[in-house]
Amino acid sequence: MRTLIFAAALAAFPLTAQAQTTPAAPSPAVRAMAAGYKALTVCSALKTAEAAGGARALESVEANELVGVYPELDGLVRELPVEIGERRVSVAWDETMPPRVAEFSPGRGCAIQPVGWTGVPARCAGERSLRDGRTDRERGPAQ
């Protein structure tokens, strides 16, 4: 009987040791996702309130909207630094990459920019550059 209990204890020991290992650091993709989530959520909460004539504090957003998110993002979302500008919210997530950015447009709300975005406007599919360097969209309607 004692041998059986001892064997069961030894069999359980490796599982206990494995359970105590530290989890792997989040991948760059997960960090980018967490930063984008935070940028867009903070932008939407703060800038939409401002557009409606109200005000929100970052602390309120952190306490209400940025809790209980996806388990793999939850801790990251809380620790990543946020910078709030007049029409933009950015969240740094990697020393070698630009921050994730959400931009506010009146009447449209906030939109997240793609990973690696540096502030240079992207051309839409099918949009041509004109001889003067402007795009179809920048030129406006055909004359």
PDB file of all heavy atoms in Angstrom, residues 63-98:
ATOM      1  N   ALA A  63      -9.993  51.491 -15.501  1.00  0.00           N
ATOM      2  CA  ALA A  63     -10.738  50.754 -14.476  1.00  0.00           C
ATOM      3  C   ALA A  63     -11.978  50.061 -15.023  1.00  0.00           C
ATOM      4  O   ALA A  63     -12.443  49.079 -14.449  1.00  0.00           O
ATOM      5  CB  ALA A  63     -11.143  51.706 -13.353  1.00  0.00           C
ATOM      6  N   ASN A  64     -12.521  50.547 -16.134  1.00  0.00           N
ATOM      7  CA  ASN A  64     -13.775  50.001 -16.647  1.00  0.00           C
ATOM      8  C   ASN A  64     -13.643  49.238 -17.962  1.00  0.00           C
ATOM      9  O   ASN A  64     -14.114  48.116 -18.070  1.00  0.00           O
ATOM     10  CB  ASN A  64     -14.808  51.118 -16.798  1.00  0.00           C
ATOM     11  CG  ASN A  64     -15.189  51.705 -15.459  1.00  0.00           C
ATOM     12  OD1 ASN A  64     -15.794  51.038 -14.644  1.00  0.00           O
ATOM     13  ND2 ASN A  64     -14.800  52.946 -15.218  1.00  0.00           N
ATOM     14  N   GLU A  65     -13.026  49.835 -18.959  1.00  0.00           N
ATOM     15  CA  GLU A  65     -12.934  49.192 -20.272  1.00  0.00           C
ATOM     16  C   GLU A  65     -11.729  48.268 -20.430  1.00  0.00           C
ATOM     17  O   GLU A  65     -11.768  47.345 -21.224  1.00  0.00           O
ATOM     18  CB  GLU A  65     -12.892  50.241 -21.398  1.00  0.00           C
ATOM     19  CG  GLU A  65     -14.223  50.827 -21.735  1.00  0.00           C
ATOM     20  CD  GLU A  65     -14.621  52.009 -20.866  1.00  0.00           C
ATOM     21  OE1 GLU A  65     -13.893  52.348 -19.919  1.00  0.00           O
ATOM     22  OE2 GLU A  65     -15.659  52.601 -21.129  1.00  0.00           O
ATOM     23  N   LEU A  66     -10.655  48.539 -19.721  1.00  0.00           N
ATOM     24  CA  LEU A  66      -9.423  47.770 -19.931  1.00  0.00           C
ATOM     25  C   LEU A  66      -9.213  46.685 -18.875  1.00  0.00           C
ATOM     26  O   LEU A  66      -8.090  46.316 -18.567  1.00  0.00           O
ATOM     27  CB  LEU A  66      -8.210  48.715 -19.974  1.00  0.00           C
ATOM     28  CG  LEU A  66      -8.195  49.679 -21.151  1.00  0.00           C
ATOM     29  CD1 LEU A  66      -7.007  50.621 -21.059  1.00  0.00           C
ATOM     30  CD2 LEU A  66      -8.176  48.928 -22.474  1.00  0.00           C
ATOM     31  N   VAL A  67     -10.281  46.156 -18.342  1.00  0.00           N
ATOM     32  CA  VAL A  67     -10.204  45.037 -17.398  1.00  0.00           C
ATOM     33  C   VAL A  67     -11.007  43.870 -17.962  1.00  0.00           C
ATOM     34  O   VAL A  67     -11.981  44.066 -18.677  1.00  0.00           O
ATOM     35  CB  VAL A  67     -10.738  45.418 -15.997  1.00  0.00           C
ATOM     36  CG1 VAL A  67      -9.855  46.449 -15.347  1.00  0.00           C
ATOM     37  CG2 VAL A  67     -12.162  45.911 -16.067  1.00  0.00           C
ATOM     38  N   GLY A  68     -10.549  42.675 -17.642  1.00  0.00           N
ATOM     39  CA  GLY A  68     -11.273  41.491 -18.085  1.00  0.00           C
ATOM     40  C   GLY A  68     -11.225  41.253 -19.577  1.00  0.00           C
ATOM     41  O   GLY A  68     -12.122  40.649 -20.147  1.00  0.00           O
ATOM     42  N   VAL A  69     -10.167  41.747 -20.226  1.00  0.00           N
ATOM     43  CA  VAL A  69     -10.030  41.509 -21.666  1.00  0.00           C
ATOM     44  C   VAL A  69      -9.491  40.097 -21.875  1.00  0.00           C
ATOM     45  O   VAL A  69      -9.328  39.340 -20.921  1.00  0.00           O
ATOM     46  CB  VAL A  69      -9.128  42.576 -22.331  1.00  0.00           C
ATOM     47  CG1 VAL A  69      -9.719  43.956 -22.161  1.00  0.00           C
ATOM     48  CG2 VAL A  69      -7.718  42.542 -21.793  1.00  0.00           C
ATOM     49  N   TYR A  70      -9.183  39.736 -23.080  1.00  0.00           N
ATOM     50  CA  TYR A  70      -8.672  38.403 -23.381  1.00  0.00           C
ATOM     51  C   TYR A  70      -7.517  38.054 -22.446  1.00  0.00           C
ATOM     52  O   TYR A  70      -6.636  38.893 -22.224  1.00  0.00           O
ATOM     53  CB  TYR A  70      -8.197  38.333 -24.834  1.00  0.00           C
ATOM     54  CG  TYR A  70      -9.290  38.631 -25.815  1.00  0.00           C
ATOM     55  CD1 TYR A  70      -9.389  39.875 -26.416  1.00  0.00           C
ATOM     56  CD2 TYR A  70     -10.244  37.665 -26.123  1.00  0.00           C
ATOM     57  CE1 TYR A  70     -10.404  40.154 -27.314  1.00  0.00           C
ATOM     58  CE2 TYR A  70     -11.264  37.935 -27.019  1.00  0.00           C
ATOM     59  CZ  TYR A  70     -11.339  39.189 -27.607  1.00  0.00           C
ATOM     60  OH  TYR A  70     -12.340  39.458 -28.493  1.00  0.00           O
ATOM     61  N   PRO A  71      -7.481  36.839 -21.907  1.00  0.00           N
ATOM     62  CA  PRO A  71      -6.451  36.480 -20.923  1.00  0.00           C
ATOM     63  C   PRO A  71      -5.020  36.733 -21.394  1.00  0.00           C
ATOM     64  O   PRO A  71      -4.193  37.202 -20.621  1.00  0.00           O
ATOM     65  CB  PRO A  71      -6.688  34.984 -20.675  1.00  0.00           C
ATOM     66  CG  PRO A  71      -8.102  34.746 -21.064  1.00  0.00           C
ATOM     67  CD  PRO A  71      -8.411  35.736 -22.149  1.00  0.00           C
ATOM     68  N   GLU A  72      -4.721  36.452 -22.659  1.00  0.00           N
ATOM     69  CA  GLU A  72      -3.357  36.650 -23.138  1.00  0.00           C
ATOM     70  C   GLU A  72      -3.005  38.128 -23.311  1.00  0.00           C
ATOM     71  O   GLU A  72      -1.837  38.481 -23.417  1.00  0.00           O
ATOM     72  CB  GLU A  72      -3.101  35.881 -24.431  1.00  0.00           C
ATOM     73  CG  GLU A  72      -4.024  36.220 -25.557  1.00  0.00           C
ATOM     74  CD  GLU A  72      -5.305  35.369 -25.590  1.00  0.00           C
ATOM     75  OE1 GLU A  72      -5.618  34.658 -24.627  1.00  0.00           O
ATOM     76  OE2 GLU A  72      -6.005  35.442 -26.589  1.00  0.00           O
ATOM     77  N   LEU A  73      -4.006  39.007 -23.305  1.00  0.00           N
ATOM     78  CA  LEU A  73      -3.759  40.446 -23.450  1.00  0.00           C
ATOM     79  C   LEU A  73      -3.904  41.208 -22.141  1.00  0.00           C
ATOM     80  O   LEU A  73      -3.385  42.312 -22.006  1.00  0.00           O
ATOM     81  CB  LEU A  73      -4.739  41.054 -24.462  1.00  0.00           C
ATOM     82  CG  LEU A  73      -4.772  40.475 -25.865  1.00  0.00           C
ATOM     83  CD1 LEU A  73      -5.749  41.254 -26.727  1.00  0.00           C
ATOM     84  CD2 LEU A  73      -3.396  40.462 -26.494  1.00  0.00           C
ATOM     85  N   ASP A  74      -4.605  40.652 -21.190  1.00  0.00           N
ATOM     86  CA  ASP A  74      -5.009  41.370 -19.978  1.00  0.00           C
ATOM     87  C   ASP A  74      -3.854  42.064 -19.257  1.00  0.00           C
ATOM     88  O   ASP A  74      -3.906  43.269 -19.022  1.00  0.00           O
ATOM     89  CB  ASP A  74      -5.745  40.416 -19.038  1.00  0.00           C
ATOM     90  CG  ASP A  74      -6.495  41.146 -17.949  1.00  0.00           C
ATOM     91  OD1 ASP A  74      -7.249  42.079 -18.296  1.00  0.00           O
ATOM     92  OD2 ASP A  74      -6.309  40.807 -16.765  1.00  0.00           O
ATOM     93  N   GLY A  75      -2.806  41.337 -18.915  1.00  0.00           N
ATOM     94  CA  GLY A  75      -1.684  41.943 -18.204  1.00  0.00           C
ATOM     95  C   GLY A  75      -0.941  42.959 -19.050  1.00  0.00           C
ATOM     96  O   GLY A  75      -0.535  44.017 -18.569  1.00  0.00           O
ATOM     97  N   LEU A  76      -0.769  42.648 -20.319  1.00  0.00           N
ATOM     98  CA  LEU A  76      -0.061  43.566 -21.230  1.00  0.00           C
ATOM     99  C   LEU A  76      -0.809  44.880 -21.388  1.00  0.00           C
ATOM    100  O   LEU A  76      -0.198  45.954 -21.379  1.00  0.00           O
ATOM    101  CB  LEU A  76       0.088  42.921 -22.611  1.00  0.00           C
ATOM    102  CG  LEU A  76       1.132  41.847 -22.752  1.00  0.00           C
ATOM    103  CD1 LEU A  76       0.996  41.163 -24.112  1.00  0.00           C
ATOM    104  CD2 LEU A  76       2.509  42.432 -22.601  1.00  0.00           C
ATOM    105  N   VAL A  77      -2.117  44.804 -21.543  1.00  0.00           N
ATOM    106  CA  VAL A  77      -2.920  46.008 -21.761  1.00  0.00           C
ATOM    107  C   VAL A  77      -2.729  46.979 -20.596  1.00  0.00           C
ATOM    108  O   VAL A  77      -2.651  48.186 -20.783  1.00  0.00           O
ATOM    109  CB  VAL A  77      -4.407  45.641 -21.961  1.00  0.00           C
ATOM    110  CG1 VAL A  77      -5.313  46.832 -21.819  1.00  0.00           C
ATOM    111  CG2 VAL A  77      -4.597  45.003 -23.327  1.00  0.00           C
ATOM    112  N   ARG A  78      -2.615  46.441 -19.390  1.00  0.00           N
ATOM    113  CA  ARG A  78      -2.450  47.307 -18.214  1.00  0.00           C
ATOM    114  C   ARG A  78      -1.061  47.919 -18.127  1.00  0.00           C
ATOM    115  O   ARG A  78      -0.908  49.032 -17.648  1.00  0.00           O
ATOM    116  CB  ARG A  78      -2.761  46.516 -16.946  1.00  0.00           C
ATOM    117  CG  ARG A  78      -4.246  46.334 -16.784  1.00  0.00           C
ATOM    118  CD  ARG A  78      -4.583  45.696 -15.473  1.00  0.00           C
ATOM    119  NE  ARG A  78      -5.216  44.419 -15.822  1.00  0.00           N
ATOM    120  CZ  ARG A  78      -5.128  43.343 -15.117  1.00  0.00           C
ATOM    121  NH1 ARG A  78      -4.452  43.341 -14.012  1.00  0.00           N
ATOM    122  NH2 ARG A  78      -5.736  42.249 -15.496  1.00  0.00           N
ATOM    123  N   GLU A  79      -0.032  47.209 -18.575  1.00  0.00           N
ATOM    124  CA  GLU A  79       1.332  47.700 -18.384  1.00  0.00           C
ATOM    125  C   GLU A  79       1.855  48.576 -19.525  1.00  0.00           C
ATOM    126  O   GLU A  79       2.784  49.346 -19.328  1.00  0.00           O
ATOM    127  CB  GLU A  79       2.289  46.533 -18.154  1.00  0.00           C
ATOM    128  CG  GLU A  79       2.637  45.764 -19.405  1.00  0.00           C
ATOM    129  CD  GLU A  79       3.563  44.592 -19.155  1.00  0.00           C
ATOM    130  OE1 GLU A  79       3.437  43.945 -18.116  1.00  0.00           O
ATOM    131  OE2 GLU A  79       4.394  44.325 -20.036  1.00  0.00           O
ATOM    132  N   LEU A  80       1.308  48.476 -20.721  1.00  0.00           N
ATOM    133  CA  LEU A  80       1.820  49.251 -21.848  1.00  0.00           C
ATOM    134  C   LEU A  80       1.517  50.739 -21.672  1.00  0.00           C
ATOM    135  O   LEU A  80       0.397  51.115 -21.330  1.00  0.00           O
ATOM    136  CB  LEU A  80       1.219  48.747 -23.161  1.00  0.00           C
ATOM    137  CG  LEU A  80       1.635  47.342 -23.580  1.00  0.00           C
ATOM    138  CD1 LEU A  80       0.804  46.872 -24.778  1.00  0.00           C
ATOM    139  CD2 LEU A  80       3.113  47.298 -23.906  1.00  0.00           C
ATOM    140  N   PRO A  81       2.513  51.600 -21.920  1.00  0.00           N
ATOM    141  CA  PRO A  81       2.314  53.045 -21.734  1.00  0.00           C
ATOM    142  C   PRO A  81       1.458  53.648 -22.853  1.00  0.00           C
ATOM    143  O   PRO A  81       1.571  53.265 -24.015  1.00  0.00           O
ATOM    144  CB  PRO A  81       3.731  53.603 -21.785  1.00  0.00           C
ATOM    145  CG  PRO A  81       4.480  52.625 -22.641  1.00  0.00           C
ATOM    146  CD  PRO A  81       3.860  51.275 -22.362  1.00  0.00           C
ATOM    147  N   VAL A  82       0.605  54.580 -22.482  1.00  0.00           N
ATOM    148  CA  VAL A  82      -0.288  55.233 -23.457  1.00  0.00           C
ATOM    149  C   VAL A  82       0.037  56.722 -23.510  1.00  0.00           C
ATOM    150  O   VAL A  82       0.365  57.328 -22.495  1.00  0.00           O
ATOM    151  CB  VAL A  82      -1.773  54.982 -23.096  1.00  0.00           C
ATOM    152  CG1 VAL A  82      -2.139  55.608 -21.777  1.00  0.00           C
ATOM    153  CG2 VAL A  82      -2.696  55.484 -24.183  1.00  0.00           C
ATOM    154  N   GLU A  83      -0.028  57.277 -24.712  1.00  0.00           N
ATOM    155  CA  GLU A  83       0.186  58.714 -24.913  1.00  0.00           C
ATOM    156  C   GLU A  83      -1.045  59.263 -25.624  1.00  0.00           C
ATOM    157  O   GLU A  83      -1.433  58.749 -26.674  1.00  0.00           O
ATOM    158  CB  GLU A  83       1.444  58.935 -25.747  1.00  0.00           C
ATOM    159  CG  GLU A  83       1.844  60.377 -25.854  1.00  0.00           C
ATOM    160  CD  GLU A  83       3.160  60.523 -26.588  1.00  0.00           C
ATOM    161  OE1 GLU A  83       4.135  59.835 -26.228  1.00  0.00           O
ATOM    162  OE2 GLU A  83       3.197  61.331 -27.546  1.00  0.00           O
ATOM    163  N   ILE A  84      -1.632  60.309 -25.044  1.00  0.00           N
ATOM    164  CA  ILE A  84      -2.873  60.858 -25.585  1.00  0.00           C
ATOM    165  C   ILE A  84      -2.596  62.232 -26.174  1.00  0.00           C
ATOM    166  O   ILE A  84      -2.080  63.116 -25.495  1.00  0.00           O
ATOM    167  CB  ILE A  84      -3.941  60.950 -24.476  1.00  0.00           C
ATOM    168  CG1 ILE A  84      -4.187  59.564 -23.899  1.00  0.00           C
ATOM    169  CG2 ILE A  84      -5.223  61.565 -25.006  1.00  0.00           C
ATOM    170  CD1 ILE A  84      -4.893  59.549 -22.578  1.00  0.00           C
ATOM    171  N   GLY A  85      -2.913  62.372 -27.462  1.00  0.00           N
ATOM    172  CA  GLY A  85      -2.762  63.653 -28.151  1.00  0.00           C
ATOM    173  C   GLY A  85      -4.125  64.245 -28.458  1.00  0.00           C
ATOM    174  O   GLY A  85      -5.160  63.722 -28.040  1.00  0.00           O
ATOM    175  N   GLU A  86      -4.133  65.327 -29.217  1.00  0.00           N
ATOM    176  CA  GLU A  86      -5.389  66.014 -29.531  1.00  0.00           C
ATOM    177  C   GLU A  86      -6.350  65.138 -30.333  1.00  0.00           C
ATOM    178  O   GLU A  86      -7.536  65.102 -30.068  1.00  0.00           O
ATOM    179  CB  GLU A  86      -5.086  67.294 -30.302  1.00  0.00           C
ATOM    180  CG  GLU A  86      -6.310  68.155 -30.517  1.00  0.00           C
ATOM    181  CD  GLU A  86      -5.968  69.459 -31.202  1.00  0.00           C
ATOM    182  OE1 GLU A  86      -4.880  69.998 -30.950  1.00  0.00           O
ATOM    183  OE2 GLU A  86      -6.806  69.930 -31.992  1.00  0.00           O
ATOM    184  N   ARG A  87      -5.840  64.425 -31.331  1.00  0.00           N
ATOM    185  CA  ARG A  87      -6.685  63.569 -32.184  1.00  0.00           C
ATOM    186  C   ARG A  87      -6.149  62.159 -32.305  1.00  0.00           C
ATOM    187  O   ARG A  87      -6.582  61.410 -33.161  1.00  0.00           O
ATOM    188  CB  ARG A  87      -6.782  64.157 -33.590  1.00  0.00           C
ATOM    189  CG  ARG A  87      -7.569  65.410 -33.636  1.00  0.00           C
ATOM    190  CD  ARG A  87      -7.765  65.821 -35.045  1.00  0.00           C
ATOM    191  NE  ARG A  87      -9.126  66.306 -35.166  1.00  0.00           N
ATOM    192  CZ  ARG A  87      -9.729  66.519 -36.292  1.00  0.00           C
ATOM    193  NH1 ARG A  87      -9.119  66.252 -37.416  1.00  0.00           N
ATOM    194  NH2 ARG A  87     -10.943  66.988 -36.315  1.00  0.00           N
ATOM    195  N   ARG A  88      -5.212  61.795 -31.443  1.00  0.00           N
ATOM    196  CA  ARG A  88      -4.535  60.515 -31.608  1.00  0.00           C
ATOM    197  C   ARG A  88      -4.160  59.938 -30.251  1.00  0.00           C
ATOM    198  O   ARG A  88      -3.815  60.664 -29.339  1.00  0.00           O
ATOM    199  CB  ARG A  88      -3.325  60.781 -32.469  1.00  0.00           C
ATOM    200  CG  ARG A  88      -2.210  59.880 -32.426  1.00  0.00           C
ATOM    201  CD  ARG A  88      -1.049  60.310 -33.294  1.00  0.00           C
ATOM    202  NE  ARG A  88      -1.434  60.567 -34.674  1.00  0.00           N
ATOM    203  CZ  ARG A  88      -0.595  60.794 -35.662  1.00  0.00           C
ATOM    204  NH1 ARG A  88       0.685  60.802 -35.445  1.00  0.00           N
ATOM    205  NH2 ARG A  88      -1.019  61.014 -36.878  1.00  0.00           N
ATOM    206  N   VAL A  89      -4.229  58.632 -30.158  1.00  0.00           N
ATOM    207  CA  VAL A  89      -3.765  57.898 -28.977  1.00  0.00           C
ATOM    208  C   VAL A  89      -2.743  56.888 -29.467  1.00  0.00           C
ATOM    209  O   VAL A  89      -2.997  56.160 -30.425  1.00  0.00           O
ATOM    210  CB  VAL A  89      -4.934  57.186 -28.253  1.00  0.00           C
ATOM    211  CG1 VAL A  89      -4.414  56.297 -27.141  1.00  0.00           C
ATOM    212  CG2 VAL A  89      -5.930  58.208 -27.717  1.00  0.00           C
ATOM    213  N   SER A  90      -1.573  56.866 -28.826  1.00  0.00           N
ATOM    214  CA  SER A  90      -0.551  55.914 -29.242  1.00  0.00           C
ATOM    215  C   SER A  90      -0.081  55.097 -28.041  1.00  0.00           C
ATOM    216  O   SER A  90      -0.065  55.583 -26.913  1.00  0.00           O
ATOM    217  CB  SER A  90       0.626  56.626 -29.914  1.00  0.00           C
ATOM    218  OG  SER A  90       1.221  57.540 -29.026  1.00  0.00           O
ATOM    219  N   VAL A  91       0.295  53.862 -28.324  1.00  0.00           N
ATOM    220  CA  VAL A  91       0.755  52.931 -27.293  1.00  0.00           C
ATOM    221  C   VAL A  91       2.040  52.267 -27.781  1.00  0.00           C
ATOM    222  O   VAL A  91       2.032  51.554 -28.788  1.00  0.00           O
ATOM    223  CB  VAL A  91      -0.324  51.863 -26.974  1.00  0.00           C
ATOM    224  CG1 VAL A  91       0.197  50.861 -25.954  1.00  0.00           C
ATOM    225  CG2 VAL A  91      -1.607  52.518 -26.483  1.00  0.00           C
ATOM    226  N   ALA A  92       3.128  52.530 -27.061  1.00  0.00           N
ATOM    227  CA  ALA A  92       4.411  51.915 -27.395  1.00  0.00           C
ATOM    228  C   ALA A  92       4.365  50.447 -26.990  1.00  0.00           C
ATOM    229  O   ALA A  92       3.830  50.092 -25.943  1.00  0.00           O
ATOM    230  CB  ALA A  92       5.536  52.637 -26.667  1.00  0.00           C
ATOM    231  N   TRP A  93       4.929  49.595 -27.838  1.00  0.00           N
ATOM    232  CA  TRP A  93       4.888  48.158 -27.557  1.00  0.00           C
ATOM    233  C   TRP A  93       6.194  47.445 -27.859  1.00  0.00           C
ATOM    234  O   TRP A  93       6.416  46.324 -27.439  1.00  0.00           O
ATOM    235  CB  TRP A  93       3.755  47.496 -28.335  1.00  0.00           C
ATOM    236  CG  TRP A  93       3.913  47.599 -29.823  1.00  0.00           C
ATOM    237  CD1 TRP A  93       3.594  48.682 -30.601  1.00  0.00           C
ATOM    238  CD2 TRP A  93       4.442  46.623 -30.706  1.00  0.00           C
ATOM    239  NE1 TRP A  93       3.902  48.423 -31.914  1.00  0.00           N
ATOM    240  CE2 TRP A  93       4.418  47.154 -32.008  1.00  0.00           C
ATOM    241  CE3 TRP A  93       4.934  45.333 -30.530  1.00  0.00           C
ATOM    242  CZ2 TRP A  93       4.865  46.462 -33.114  1.00  0.00           C
ATOM    243  CZ3 TRP A  93       5.377  44.637 -31.636  1.00  0.00           C
ATOM    244  CH2 TRP A  93       5.333  45.205 -32.912  1.00  0.00           C
ATOM    245  N   ASP A  94       7.108  48.087 -28.584  1.00  0.00           N
ATOM    246  CA  ASP A  94       8.376  47.476 -28.965  1.00  0.00           C
ATOM    247  C   ASP A  94       9.382  48.595 -29.198  1.00  0.00           C
ATOM    248  O   ASP A  94       9.045  49.615 -29.806  1.00  0.00           O
ATOM    249  CB  ASP A  94       8.185  46.656 -30.250  1.00  0.00           C
ATOM    250  CG  ASP A  94       9.423  45.865 -30.620  1.00  0.00           C
ATOM    251  OD1 ASP A  94      10.309  46.423 -31.295  1.00  0.00           O
ATOM    252  OD2 ASP A  94       9.487  44.699 -30.220  1.00  0.00           O
ATOM    253  N   GLU A  95      10.617  48.395 -28.743  1.00  0.00           N
ATOM    254  CA  GLU A  95      11.633  49.441 -28.882  1.00  0.00           C
ATOM    255  C   GLU A  95      12.042  49.700 -30.330  1.00  0.00           C
ATOM    256  O   GLU A  95      12.532  50.769 -30.652  1.00  0.00           O
ATOM    257  CB  GLU A  95      12.872  49.074 -28.063  1.00  0.00           C
ATOM    258  CG  GLU A  95      12.637  49.120 -26.575  1.00  0.00           C
ATOM    259  CD  GLU A  95      13.867  48.710 -25.785  1.00  0.00           C
ATOM    260  OE1 GLU A  95      14.961  48.570 -26.374  1.00  0.00           O
ATOM    261  OE2 GLU A  95      13.723  48.535 -24.568  1.00  0.00           O
ATOM    262  N   THR A  96      11.844  48.720 -31.207  1.00  0.00           N
ATOM    263  CA  THR A  96      12.302  48.865 -32.589  1.00  0.00           C
ATOM    264  C   THR A  96      11.172  49.186 -33.569  1.00  0.00           C
ATOM    265  O   THR A  96      11.428  49.363 -34.745  1.00  0.00           O
ATOM    266  CB  THR A  96      13.013  47.584 -33.064  1.00  0.00           C
ATOM    267  OG1 THR A  96      12.080  46.499 -33.027  1.00  0.00           O
ATOM    268  CG2 THR A  96      14.209  47.255 -32.184  1.00  0.00           C
ATOM    269  N   MET A  97       9.944  49.249 -33.083  1.00  0.00           N
ATOM    270  CA  MET A  97       8.791  49.497 -33.958  1.00  0.00           C
ATOM    271  C   MET A  97       8.064  50.760 -33.517  1.00  0.00           C
ATOM    272  O   MET A  97       8.088  51.115 -32.344  1.00  0.00           O
ATOM    273  CB  MET A  97       7.810  48.319 -33.895  1.00  0.00           C
ATOM    274  CG  MET A  97       8.328  47.030 -34.479  1.00  0.00           C
ATOM    275  SD  MET A  97       8.481  47.085 -36.271  1.00  0.00           S
ATOM    276  CE  MET A  97       6.775  47.116 -36.771  1.00  0.00           C
ATOM    277  N   PRO A  98       7.381  51.432 -34.451  1.00  0.00           N
ATOM    278  CA  PRO A  98       6.578  52.592 -34.064  1.00  0.00           C
ATOM    279  C   PRO A  98       5.424  52.154 -33.161  1.00  0.00           C
ATOM    280  O   PRO A  98       4.996  50.998 -33.201  1.00  0.00           O
ATOM    281  CB  PRO A  98       6.029  53.127 -35.388  1.00  0.00           C
ATOM    282  CG  PRO A  98       6.671  52.355 -36.472  1.00  0.00           C
ATOM    283  CD  PRO A  98       7.345  51.168 -35.885  1.00  0.00           C
TER     284      PRO A  98
END
